[in-house]
Amino acid sequence: MKTQITSKEIWSIALPIMLGYMAQTIINFTDTAFLGHLGVIALGASMLAGLFYFVFTTVATGFAVGIQIMVARRFGEKKYDRIGVIFEHGSLFVFILGSILFSVLYFFSDRLLLWLIDSANIYESSLEYIKYRQFGIIFVCFNFLYRALYVGISNTKVITYSTIIMAVVNIILDYCLIFGNLDFPRMGVGGAALASFCAEAAAFLFFTLYSYFTLRKNEFGVFKFHKLEAVLMGRILKISTPTMIQKLFSFGVWFVFFVLIEKMGETATGISSITRSIYMILVTPCFAFATTTNTLVSRVIGEGNSDKVFSVINKVLKNYLLCTLPIVAFVAIFPLQIVGIYTDDFNFAQLVVPSVFVICSGTVFQGIGNAYFEAVSGTGNTSAALYLESVILVVYVLFVFAMTQFTTRVEFVWSAEILYGVLLGIICFLYMKYAGWNKLKI
């Protein structure tokens, strides 16, 4: 069967995924925009504590990628009845995983943050943030699983609805709880964390109700009890475990990036908090089109058209660049005005601008590198993806460490994002070009 992936189909998958990624980006943006008016301590605490929290959720993200690959493959093979079985096994694992992650956060966050953060002020505010945010981790884990299901069956409009719900809940509660508006208590950093927790819980409630009433009666067999299959669970874990390790390693290194910057001082931490918020908006299309690449590569292989993989990757990248380049150009032309959203301090805003220029370049290279990286994962060889990125992350950490030791310029540290994207693109392209990935069965 000849597979023809059109730009329209790519956008029909990528756009809702983009909006799904925007859920966490919007939470980060609104938190940073509100907290920026409280000063660099609030900015630094929300950034470091938020990243610390998401280091734990990346394990669930990695597991969800494995579920997504399997669901997309079965969808391509038209084995629809197996999708519900895969989702049920995934739900069991996610519940156990979420409970373990919550326990670690609840009992060990104070000691871990004390070990990682030098500034006493940022440390105290970080504890206030985690105190509320930790209760949302099980909801986040299930939200990742739901998104994996809907991306795998190419019904990504549901992700759009959940994103809107998260954004509305978070923005309203940020306004009320951070500053004490509308007779709510003034909670500062803790208010931002509580607002984020409520947004995550609201998205989980929506996903569950929507899935129950729309998927329970269809051919996918979701929300029907199935016998636990040890062989299937083993297959899921075989695919997902390398991805979980890879995501944990990758995001853990991202957290180390900011820990090293925090040691450069509170001003450097504040600069990077704003830079990170802008960067997460810029790279949202990168992650969306990369995930689209993963799904489409897995699907066309399932349809028996491995020879179409490179044409799919190239078409996705073309659409990614058409989407991203105008946004990057806009940010590069008006950096000071954009930074002004986060802070009233003009002198501080000027310090942020050089880092904004660096992330504009980094965004383009990240998109290309991540597309090829997700193509590697889409083949089902998640172990190869883990090994390839591990090598790059070692280089990345060494570069960041060197920059934080030998310069006081924050933008030089941020140039590590350009290095990462370039290396990831080159290595993963060579793998897709010359490795025997088309012989793998999952």
Short mmCIF file of all heavy atoms in Angstrom, two decimals, residues 167-227:
data_model
loop_
_atom_site.label_atom_id
_atom_site.label_comp_id
_atom_site.label_asym_id
_atom_site.label_seq_id
_atom_site.Cartn_x
_atom_site.Cartn_y
_atom_site.Cartn_z
N ALA A 167 -5.15 26.30 30.48
CA ALA A 167 -4.73 27.70 30.40
C ALA A 167 -5.68 28.62 31.14
O ALA A 167 -5.26 29.49 31.90
CB ALA A 167 -4.64 28.11 28.93
N VAL A 168 -6.98 28.41 30.93
CA VAL A 168 -7.98 29.27 31.57
C VAL A 168 -7.92 29.15 33.09
O VAL A 168 -7.89 30.15 33.82
CB VAL A 168 -9.39 28.94 31.05
CG1 VAL A 168 -10.46 29.67 31.87
CG2 VAL A 168 -9.53 29.33 29.58
N VAL A 169 -7.86 27.90 33.57
CA VAL A 169 -7.81 27.67 35.02
C VAL A 169 -6.56 28.29 35.62
O VAL A 169 -6.61 28.97 36.66
CB VAL A 169 -7.87 26.16 35.34
CG1 VAL A 169 -7.60 25.90 36.82
CG2 VAL A 169 -9.23 25.59 34.96
N ASN A 170 -5.41 28.09 34.95
CA ASN A 170 -4.15 28.60 35.50
C ASN A 170 -4.09 30.12 35.51
O ASN A 170 -3.66 30.73 36.50
CB ASN A 170 -2.98 28.04 34.69
CG ASN A 170 -1.64 28.29 35.36
OD1 ASN A 170 -1.34 27.71 36.40
ND2 ASN A 170 -0.84 29.16 34.78
N ILE A 171 -4.51 30.75 34.43
CA ILE A 171 -4.44 32.21 34.35
C ILE A 171 -5.34 32.86 35.41
O ILE A 171 -4.93 33.79 36.11
CB ILE A 171 -4.83 32.70 32.94
CG1 ILE A 171 -3.75 32.29 31.93
CG2 ILE A 171 -5.02 34.21 32.92
CD1 ILE A 171 -4.13 32.52 30.49
N ILE A 172 -6.56 32.35 35.54
CA ILE A 172 -7.49 32.92 36.52
C ILE A 172 -6.96 32.76 37.94
O ILE A 172 -6.94 33.71 38.73
CB ILE A 172 -8.88 32.27 36.39
CG1 ILE A 172 -9.53 32.67 35.05
CG2 ILE A 172 -9.80 32.68 37.56
CD1 ILE A 172 -10.83 31.95 34.76
N LEU A 173 -6.49 31.56 38.26
CA LEU A 173 -6.01 31.31 39.62
C LEU A 173 -4.67 32.00 39.90
O LEU A 173 -4.41 32.40 41.04
CB LEU A 173 -5.92 29.81 39.88
CG LEU A 173 -7.27 29.09 39.95
CD1 LEU A 173 -7.07 27.60 40.23
CD2 LEU A 173 -8.15 29.71 41.04
N ASP A 174 -3.82 32.15 38.89
CA ASP A 174 -2.60 32.93 39.07
C ASP A 174 -2.95 34.36 39.48
O ASP A 174 -2.37 34.92 40.42
CB ASP A 174 -1.78 32.97 37.77
CG ASP A 174 -0.67 31.92 37.75
OD1 ASP A 174 -0.47 31.25 38.79
OD2 ASP A 174 -0.02 31.76 36.72
N TYR A 175 -3.89 34.95 38.76
CA TYR A 175 -4.30 36.32 39.04
C TYR A 175 -4.86 36.44 40.47
O TYR A 175 -4.59 37.41 41.18
CB TYR A 175 -5.36 36.75 38.03
CG TYR A 175 -5.96 38.10 38.29
CD1 TYR A 175 -5.26 39.27 37.99
CD2 TYR A 175 -7.23 38.22 38.87
CE1 TYR A 175 -5.81 40.52 38.25
CE2 TYR A 175 -7.78 39.46 39.13
CZ TYR A 175 -7.07 40.62 38.81
OH TYR A 175 -7.62 41.84 39.08
N CYS A 176 -5.61 35.43 40.87
CA CYS A 176 -6.24 35.48 42.20
C CYS A 176 -5.28 35.18 43.33
O CYS A 176 -5.30 35.86 44.37
CB CYS A 176 -7.42 34.50 42.25
SG CYS A 176 -8.79 34.91 41.15
N LEU A 177 -4.43 34.16 43.16
CA LEU A 177 -3.66 33.63 44.28
C LEU A 177 -2.28 34.25 44.46
O LEU A 177 -1.77 34.31 45.58
CB LEU A 177 -3.52 32.11 44.13
CG LEU A 177 -4.82 31.30 44.23
CD1 LEU A 177 -4.58 29.83 43.86
CD2 LEU A 177 -5.40 31.40 45.64
N ILE A 178 -1.64 34.69 43.38
CA ILE A 178 -0.30 35.26 43.53
C ILE A 178 -0.36 36.61 44.23
O ILE A 178 0.40 36.88 45.17
CB ILE A 178 0.39 35.40 42.16
CG1 ILE A 178 0.70 34.00 41.58
CG2 ILE A 178 1.71 36.19 42.30
CD1 ILE A 178 1.30 34.03 40.18
N PHE A 179 -1.31 37.45 43.81
CA PHE A 179 -1.39 38.81 44.35
C PHE A 179 -2.53 39.01 45.35
O PHE A 179 -2.68 40.09 45.92
CB PHE A 179 -1.55 39.81 43.21
CG PHE A 179 -0.41 39.80 42.24
CD1 PHE A 179 -0.57 39.29 40.96
CD2 PHE A 179 0.85 40.26 42.61
CE1 PHE A 179 0.47 39.28 40.06
CE2 PHE A 179 1.91 40.24 41.71
CZ PHE A 179 1.72 39.74 40.44
N GLY A 180 -3.37 37.97 45.55
CA GLY A 180 -4.48 38.11 46.49
C GLY A 180 -5.65 38.91 45.94
O GLY A 180 -6.35 39.61 46.70
N ASN A 181 -5.88 38.83 44.64
CA ASN A 181 -7.00 39.55 44.04
C ASN A 181 -8.33 38.82 44.28
O ASN A 181 -8.36 37.62 44.56
CB ASN A 181 -6.77 39.71 42.53
CG ASN A 181 -5.60 40.63 42.23
OD1 ASN A 181 -5.46 41.69 42.85
ND2 ASN A 181 -4.74 40.24 41.30
N LEU A 182 -9.44 39.56 44.15
CA LEU A 182 -10.80 39.02 44.27
C LEU A 182 -11.01 38.32 45.62
O LEU A 182 -11.66 37.26 45.69
CB LEU A 182 -11.11 38.06 43.12
CG LEU A 182 -10.97 38.64 41.70
CD1 LEU A 182 -11.30 37.59 40.65
CD2 LEU A 182 -11.87 39.86 41.53
N ASP A 183 -10.41 38.88 46.67
CA ASP A 183 -10.57 38.38 48.04
C ASP A 183 -9.93 37.03 48.29
O ASP A 183 -10.22 36.37 49.29
CB ASP A 183 -12.07 38.31 48.42
CG ASP A 183 -12.71 39.69 48.47
OD1 ASP A 183 -12.01 40.65 48.85
OD2 ASP A 183 -13.90 39.80 48.11
N PHE A 184 -9.05 36.58 47.38
CA PHE A 184 -8.28 35.36 47.62
C PHE A 184 -7.05 35.72 48.47
O PHE A 184 -6.62 36.86 48.49
CB PHE A 184 -7.84 34.74 46.30
CG PHE A 184 -8.89 33.93 45.61
CD1 PHE A 184 -9.90 34.55 44.88
CD2 PHE A 184 -8.88 32.54 45.70
CE1 PHE A 184 -10.87 33.81 44.24
CE2 PHE A 184 -9.86 31.78 45.07
CZ PHE A 184 -10.86 32.41 44.33
N PRO A 185 -6.46 34.74 49.17
CA PRO A 185 -5.25 35.02 49.96
C PRO A 185 -4.07 35.33 49.05
O PRO A 185 -3.94 34.75 47.96
CB PRO A 185 -5.02 33.72 50.74
CG PRO A 185 -5.70 32.66 49.93
CD PRO A 185 -6.90 33.33 49.32
N ARG A 186 -3.19 36.24 49.46
CA ARG A 186 -1.98 36.56 48.71
C ARG A 186 -0.92 35.51 49.04
O ARG A 186 -0.39 35.46 50.15
CB ARG A 186 -1.48 37.96 49.10
CG ARG A 186 -0.22 38.40 48.37
CD ARG A 186 0.24 39.77 48.89
NE ARG A 186 1.52 40.14 48.31
CZ ARG A 186 1.69 40.82 47.18
NH1 ARG A 186 0.61 41.23 46.51
NH2 ARG A 186 2.89 41.13 46.74
N MET A 187 -0.59 34.65 48.07
CA MET A 187 0.28 33.51 48.33
C MET A 187 1.62 33.58 47.60
O MET A 187 2.49 32.74 47.85
CB MET A 187 -0.45 32.22 47.95
CG MET A 187 -1.73 31.96 48.73
SD MET A 187 -2.60 30.47 48.15
CE MET A 187 -1.40 29.19 48.51
N GLY A 188 1.79 34.52 46.68
CA GLY A 188 3.06 34.64 45.97
C GLY A 188 3.42 33.38 45.19
O GLY A 188 2.62 32.85 44.42
N VAL A 189 4.64 32.88 45.42
CA VAL A 189 5.13 31.70 44.70
C VAL A 189 4.23 30.48 44.96
O VAL A 189 3.93 29.70 44.05
CB VAL A 189 6.58 31.38 45.12
CG1 VAL A 189 7.04 30.05 44.54
CG2 VAL A 189 7.51 32.50 44.64
N GLY A 190 3.77 30.33 46.20
CA GLY A 190 2.88 29.21 46.53
C GLY A 190 1.58 29.29 45.75
O GLY A 190 1.01 28.25 45.36
N GLY A 191 1.09 30.49 45.50
CA GLY A 191 -0.13 30.66 44.72
C GLY A 191 0.04 30.20 43.29
O GLY A 191 -0.88 29.60 42.70
N ALA A 192 1.20 30.48 42.70
CA ALA A 192 1.48 30.02 41.34
C ALA A 192 1.48 28.49 41.28
O ALA A 192 0.95 27.88 40.34
CB ALA A 192 2.82 30.56 40.87
N ALA A 193 2.07 27.86 42.29
CA ALA A 193 2.12 26.39 42.33
C ALA A 193 0.73 25.80 42.50
O ALA A 193 0.37 24.80 41.86
CB ALA A 193 3.03 25.94 43.47
N LEU A 194 -0.08 26.39 43.38
CA LEU A 194 -1.44 25.89 43.61
C LEU A 194 -2.29 26.06 42.36
O LEU A 194 -3.09 25.17 42.02
CB LEU A 194 -2.07 26.63 44.79
CG LEU A 194 -3.49 26.18 45.19
CD1 LEU A 194 -3.52 24.69 45.51
CD2 LEU A 194 -3.97 27.01 46.39
N ALA A 195 -2.12 27.16 41.65
CA ALA A 195 -2.85 27.39 40.40
C ALA A 195 -2.48 26.32 39.37
O ALA A 195 -3.35 25.78 38.67
CB ALA A 195 -2.55 28.78 39.86
N SER A 196 -1.20 25.99 39.28
CA SER A 196 -0.74 24.97 38.33
C SER A 196 -1.30 23.59 38.69
O SER A 196 -1.70 22.83 37.80
CB SER A 196 0.79 24.92 38.31
OG SER A 196 1.32 26.16 37.90
N PHE A 197 -1.32 23.28 39.97
CA PHE A 197 -1.90 22.01 40.42
C PHE A 197 -3.37 21.91 40.01
O PHE A 197 -3.82 20.88 39.49
CB PHE A 197 -1.77 21.88 41.94
CG PHE A 197 -2.74 20.91 42.55
CD1 PHE A 197 -2.62 19.55 42.36
CD2 PHE A 197 -3.82 21.37 43.32
CE1 PHE A 197 -3.53 18.65 42.91
CE2 PHE A 197 -4.73 20.50 43.87
CZ PHE A 197 -4.58 19.13 43.67
N CYS A 198 -4.13 22.96 40.23
CA CYS A 198 -5.56 22.96 39.88
C CYS A 198 -5.75 22.81 38.37
O CYS A 198 -6.67 22.12 37.91
CB CYS A 198 -6.23 24.23 40.38
SG CYS A 198 -6.35 24.36 42.17
N ALA A 199 -4.87 23.44 37.58
CA ALA A 199 -4.96 23.33 36.12
C ALA A 199 -4.71 21.90 35.66
O ALA A 199 -5.39 21.38 34.76
CB ALA A 199 -3.96 24.29 35.48
N GLU A 200 -3.72 21.25 36.25
CA GLU A 200 -3.40 19.86 35.90
C GLU A 200 -4.55 18.93 36.27
O GLU A 200 -4.90 18.01 35.51
CB GLU A 200 -2.11 19.44 36.60
CG GLU A 200 -0.88 20.13 36.05
CD GLU A 200 0.29 20.14 37.01
OE1 GLU A 200 0.11 19.75 38.19
OE2 GLU A 200 1.40 20.55 36.60
N ALA A 201 -5.15 19.14 37.44
CA ALA A 201 -6.27 18.31 37.87
C ALA A 201 -7.47 18.51 36.96
O ALA A 201 -8.18 17.55 36.63
CB ALA A 201 -6.64 18.65 39.32
N ALA A 202 -7.71 19.74 36.52
CA ALA A 202 -8.83 20.04 35.63
C ALA A 202 -8.65 19.33 34.28
O ALA A 202 -9.61 18.79 33.71
CB ALA A 202 -8.96 21.55 35.42
N ALA A 203 -7.42 19.32 33.76
CA ALA A 203 -7.15 18.65 32.49
C ALA A 203 -7.36 17.14 32.62
O ALA A 203 -7.94 16.51 31.72
CB ALA A 203 -5.73 18.94 32.03
N PHE A 204 -6.92 16.57 33.73
CA PHE A 204 -7.13 15.13 33.96
C PHE A 204 -8.62 14.79 34.01
O PHE A 204 -9.07 13.80 33.40
CB PHE A 204 -6.47 14.71 35.27
CG PHE A 204 -6.87 13.34 35.74
CD1 PHE A 204 -6.36 12.21 35.14
CD2 PHE A 204 -7.80 13.18 36.78
CE1 PHE A 204 -6.74 10.94 35.57
CE2 PHE A 204 -8.19 11.93 37.20
CZ PHE A 204 -7.66 10.80 36.59
N LEU A 205 -9.39 15.60 34.70
CA LEU A 205 -10.83 15.36 34.79
C LEU A 205 -11.48 15.42 33.41
O LEU A 205 -12.30 14.57 33.06
CB LEU A 205 -11.47 16.40 35.72
CG LEU A 205 -12.98 16.26 35.95
CD1 LEU A 205 -13.30 14.93 36.62
CD2 LEU A 205 -13.49 17.43 36.80
N PHE A 206 -11.07 16.40 32.60
CA PHE A 206 -11.62 16.51 31.25
C PHE A 206 -11.26 15.29 30.42
O PHE A 206 -12.12 14.69 29.75
CB PHE A 206 -11.11 17.77 30.57
CG PHE A 206 -11.33 17.76 29.08
CD1 PHE A 206 -12.60 17.98 28.55
CD2 PHE A 206 -10.27 17.48 28.22
CE1 PHE A 206 -12.80 17.93 27.17
CE2 PHE A 206 -10.47 17.43 26.84
CZ PHE A 206 -11.74 17.65 26.33
N PHE A 207 -9.96 14.91 30.39
CA PHE A 207 -9.53 13.76 29.60
C PHE A 207 -10.31 12.51 29.98
O PHE A 207 -10.74 11.74 29.12
CB PHE A 207 -8.04 13.50 29.84
CG PHE A 207 -7.12 14.20 28.89
CD1 PHE A 207 -6.03 14.92 29.37
CD2 PHE A 207 -7.31 14.13 27.53
CE1 PHE A 207 -5.15 15.56 28.50
CE2 PHE A 207 -6.44 14.76 26.64
CZ PHE A 207 -5.36 15.48 27.13
N THR A 208 -10.48 12.29 31.28
CA THR A 208 -11.14 11.07 31.75
C THR A 208 -12.61 11.05 31.33
O THR A 208 -13.10 10.03 30.80
CB THR A 208 -11.03 10.96 33.28
OG1 THR A 208 -9.64 10.96 33.65
CG2 THR A 208 -11.67 9.68 33.78
N LEU A 209 -13.32 12.13 31.55
CA LEU A 209 -14.74 12.18 31.18
C LEU A 209 -14.92 12.09 29.67
O LEU A 209 -15.78 11.35 29.18
CB LEU A 209 -15.37 13.47 31.72
CG LEU A 209 -15.50 13.56 33.25
CD1 LEU A 209 -16.03 14.94 33.66
CD2 LEU A 209 -16.41 12.47 33.79
N TYR A 210 -14.10 12.83 28.93
CA TYR A 210 -14.21 12.81 27.48
C TYR A 210 -13.94 11.40 26.94
O TYR A 210 -14.68 10.90 26.08
CB TYR A 210 -13.22 13.80 26.87
CG TYR A 210 -13.31 13.89 25.36
CD1 TYR A 210 -14.09 14.88 24.75
CD2 TYR A 210 -12.62 13.00 24.54
CE1 TYR A 210 -14.18 14.98 23.37
CE2 TYR A 210 -12.70 13.08 23.15
CZ TYR A 210 -13.48 14.07 22.58
OH TYR A 210 -13.58 14.16 21.20
N SER A 211 -12.89 10.77 27.43
CA SER A 211 -12.52 9.44 26.96
C SER A 211 -13.59 8.41 27.31
O SER A 211 -13.91 7.53 26.51
CB SER A 211 -11.17 9.02 27.56
OG SER A 211 -10.16 9.94 27.21
N TYR A 212 -14.14 8.54 28.51
CA TYR A 212 -15.15 7.57 28.94
C TYR A 212 -16.39 7.62 28.05
O TYR A 212 -16.93 6.59 27.63
CB TYR A 212 -15.56 7.84 30.39
CG TYR A 212 -16.57 6.86 30.93
CD1 TYR A 212 -16.18 5.59 31.36
CD2 TYR A 212 -17.92 7.20 30.99
CE1 TYR A 212 -17.12 4.68 31.83
CE2 TYR A 212 -18.87 6.30 31.47
CZ TYR A 212 -18.46 5.04 31.89
OH TYR A 212 -19.38 4.15 32.35
N PHE A 213 -16.82 8.83 27.72
CA PHE A 213 -18.07 8.96 26.97
C PHE A 213 -17.89 8.84 25.46
O PHE A 213 -18.87 8.61 24.75
CB PHE A 213 -18.74 10.30 27.30
CG PHE A 213 -19.34 10.35 28.68
CD1 PHE A 213 -18.79 11.15 29.65
CD2 PHE A 213 -20.44 9.56 28.99
CE1 PHE A 213 -19.33 11.18 30.93
CE2 PHE A 213 -20.99 9.58 30.27
CZ PHE A 213 -20.44 10.40 31.24
N THR A 214 -16.67 8.97 24.95
CA THR A 214 -16.47 8.89 23.49
C THR A 214 -15.74 7.64 23.02
O THR A 214 -15.94 7.20 21.88
CB THR A 214 -15.68 10.13 22.98
OG1 THR A 214 -14.40 10.16 23.61
CG2 THR A 214 -16.44 11.40 23.28
N LEU A 215 -14.88 7.06 23.86
CA LEU A 215 -14.08 5.92 23.43
C LEU A 215 -14.55 4.58 23.98
O LEU A 215 -14.17 3.53 23.47
CB LEU A 215 -12.61 6.13 23.83
CG LEU A 215 -11.86 7.30 23.19
CD1 LEU A 215 -10.41 7.30 23.66
CD2 LEU A 215 -11.92 7.25 21.68
N ARG A 216 -15.41 4.63 25.01
CA ARG A 216 -15.79 3.38 25.69
C ARG A 216 -16.52 2.42 24.75
O ARG A 216 -16.37 1.19 24.86
CB ARG A 216 -16.66 3.72 26.89
CG ARG A 216 -17.09 2.52 27.74
CD ARG A 216 -17.68 2.99 29.06
NE ARG A 216 -18.74 3.96 28.87
CZ ARG A 216 -20.04 3.64 28.84
NH1 ARG A 216 -20.41 2.39 28.99
NH2 ARG A 216 -20.95 4.57 28.66
N LYS A 217 -17.30 2.95 23.83
CA LYS A 217 -18.14 2.09 22.99
C LYS A 217 -17.58 1.84 21.61
O LYS A 217 -18.22 1.17 20.80
CB LYS A 217 -19.53 2.73 22.87
CG LYS A 217 -20.27 2.86 24.20
CD LYS A 217 -21.63 3.52 24.00
CE LYS A 217 -22.36 3.67 25.33
NZ LYS A 217 -23.69 4.32 25.18
N ASN A 218 -16.38 2.36 21.31
CA ASN A 218 -15.88 2.18 19.95
C ASN A 218 -14.96 0.97 19.84
O ASN A 218 -14.77 0.21 20.79
CB ASN A 218 -15.18 3.46 19.45
CG ASN A 218 -13.91 3.76 20.24
OD1 ASN A 218 -13.40 2.91 20.97
ND2 ASN A 218 -13.40 4.98 20.09
N GLU A 219 -14.36 0.82 18.66
CA GLU A 219 -13.59 -0.39 18.36
C GLU A 219 -12.25 -0.45 19.07
O GLU A 219 -11.59 -1.49 19.05
CB GLU A 219 -13.36 -0.46 16.85
CG GLU A 219 -12.67 0.77 16.28
CD GLU A 219 -12.72 0.81 14.76
OE1 GLU A 219 -12.76 -0.27 14.15
OE2 GLU A 219 -12.72 1.92 14.21
N PHE A 220 -11.82 0.64 19.71
CA PHE A 220 -10.54 0.63 20.40
C PHE A 220 -10.57 -0.13 21.72
O PHE A 220 -9.54 -0.53 22.25
CB PHE A 220 -10.05 2.06 20.66
CG PHE A 220 -9.82 2.85 19.40
CD1 PHE A 220 -10.25 4.16 19.31
CD2 PHE A 220 -9.17 2.28 18.32
CE1 PHE A 220 -10.04 4.90 18.15
CE2 PHE A 220 -8.96 3.00 17.15
CZ PHE A 220 -9.40 4.32 17.07
N GLY A 221 -11.74 -0.30 22.31
CA GLY A 221 -11.85 -1.07 23.54
C GLY A 221 -11.30 -0.38 24.77
O GLY A 221 -10.85 -1.03 25.72
N VAL A 222 -11.32 0.97 24.77
CA VAL A 222 -10.84 1.73 25.93
C VAL A 222 -11.91 1.72 27.01
O VAL A 222 -13.10 1.77 26.72
CB VAL A 222 -10.49 3.18 25.52
CG1 VAL A 222 -10.05 3.99 26.73
CG2 VAL A 222 -9.41 3.17 24.45
N PHE A 223 -11.50 1.66 28.27
CA PHE A 223 -12.38 1.59 29.45
C PHE A 223 -13.18 0.29 29.50
O PHE A 223 -14.28 0.23 30.03
CB PHE A 223 -13.33 2.79 29.51
CG PHE A 223 -12.67 4.05 29.97
CD1 PHE A 223 -12.28 5.02 29.05
CD2 PHE A 223 -12.39 4.29 31.30
CE1 PHE A 223 -11.65 6.18 29.45
CE2 PHE A 223 -11.76 5.45 31.72
CZ PHE A 223 -11.39 6.40 30.78
N LYS A 224 -12.61 -0.76 28.93
CA LYS A 224 -13.15 -2.10 29.09
C LYS A 224 -12.08 -2.93 29.80
O LYS A 224 -10.89 -2.77 29.55
CB LYS A 224 -13.49 -2.71 27.73
CG LYS A 224 -14.63 -1.99 27.01
CD LYS A 224 -14.93 -2.63 25.67
CE LYS A 224 -16.06 -1.88 24.95
NZ LYS A 224 -16.34 -2.46 23.61
N PHE A 225 -12.50 -3.79 30.68
CA PHE A 225 -11.54 -4.59 31.43
C PHE A 225 -10.95 -5.69 30.55
O PHE A 225 -11.67 -6.41 29.87
CB PHE A 225 -12.19 -5.19 32.68
CG PHE A 225 -12.53 -4.17 33.72
CD1 PHE A 225 -13.85 -3.78 33.92
CD2 PHE A 225 -11.54 -3.57 34.48
CE1 PHE A 225 -14.17 -2.83 34.87
CE2 PHE A 225 -11.85 -2.61 35.44
CZ PHE A 225 -13.17 -2.25 35.63
N HIS A 226 -9.63 -5.80 30.58
CA HIS A 226 -8.94 -6.82 29.82
C HIS A 226 -8.03 -7.61 30.76
O HIS A 226 -7.59 -7.10 31.78
CB HIS A 226 -8.08 -6.19 28.71
CG HIS A 226 -8.84 -5.35 27.76
ND1 HIS A 226 -9.02 -3.98 27.94
CD2 HIS A 226 -9.49 -5.65 26.61
CE1 HIS A 226 -9.73 -3.48 26.93
NE2 HIS A 226 -10.02 -4.47 26.11
N LYS A 227 -7.77 -8.81 30.36
CA LYS A 227 -6.87 -9.65 31.15
C LYS A 227 -5.46 -9.09 31.07
O LYS A 227 -5.00 -8.67 30.01
CB LYS A 227 -6.91 -11.08 30.60
CG LYS A 227 -6.02 -12.05 31.38
CD LYS A 227 -6.10 -13.45 30.76
CE LYS A 227 -5.18 -14.42 31.49
NZ LYS A 227 -5.21 -15.77 30.86
#
